[in-house]
Amino acid sequence: MKELSTKASILQHIYTAKLAHQSWIKKVERLVNGLDGYKGEKVDLTVDKTFIPLDSTSCEFGKWFYKYSEHLYKIPSIGRFVNRIDEHHEQLHDTYKYIYDIFFELPYQRSLVHKIFTLNSKKISNADREKAKIYLTFLKHSSNELLEVLAILEEKIKSLDYNELNKVVKVNI
């Protein structure tokens, strides 16, 4: 792939993917914690469930990762880090699924009146919000682990021998 033909382009792709991941995490934080509103009061954030992608292949980081991971995996010195990134990324989305269920999963059987007045929103109890905060703690931990592995991956890429990178690039162009 020409996009991965130089260390600089690989590093730029990783940087962009990290920014996308950090943005995704911030959206989840805003969903769980609400926003500081007028006079510092907490305001619940009403978010459409598509605002924060649930599926690991739908978020911007996942789109990058699943497009390029197969090519990065072929570089012998970094293949195992690609596997670790995949594991951490899947774990993030598995944890987010619990938060998603708290905020977006509606009871299967709802009255017509409930459907009309609530559309696809759900009132969150304090207990559910506290549960979501616990999941958010796990999510942030997984995020930090993912970012640590990405930092190692960046260092490995910086230290790649030109010939090692060139072998992989020739195969994929």
Side-chain angles (χ1 to χ4, degrees), residues 33-126:
N33 294 324
L35 296 173
D36 288 326
Y38 180 67
K39 295 184 179 180
E41 293 180 26
K42 285 291 180 191
V43 177
D44 280 337
L45 180 63
T46 303
V47 175
D48 181 86
K49 60 185 174 183
T50 60
F51 181 66
I52 307 168
L54 178 61
D55 183 57
S56 63
T57 60
S58 299
C59 70
E60 290 304 313
F61 181 88
K63 289 176 185 175
W64 165 79
F65 182 74
Y66 295 111
K67 181 176 181 180
Y68 296 113
S69 63
E70 148 187 353
H71 305 290
L72 293 173
Y73 186 78
K74 292 178 183 174
I75 302 171
S77 62
I78 65 173
R80 67 188 172 107
F81 294 101
V82 174
N83 285 338
R84 288 179 57 200
I85 290 168
D86 189 28
E87 290 168 10
H88 289 301
H89 186 234
E90 288 297 327
Q91 185 178 19
L92 278 165
H93 283 273
D94 288 346
T95 302
Y96 175 61
K97 173 74 171 102
Y98 294 109
I99 296 170
Y100 179 94
D101 287 348
I102 289 169
F103 284 89
F104 300 115
E105 283 298 311
L106 296 168
Y108 178 70
Q109 293 183 351
R110 297 184 292 158
S111 69
L112 180 60
V113 172
H114 186 262
K115 289 178 184 178
I116 292 170
F117 286 108
T118 62
L119 298 172
N120 287 320
S121 63
K122 180 177 174 184
K123 180 138 176 81
I124 307 302
S125 70
N126 287 337

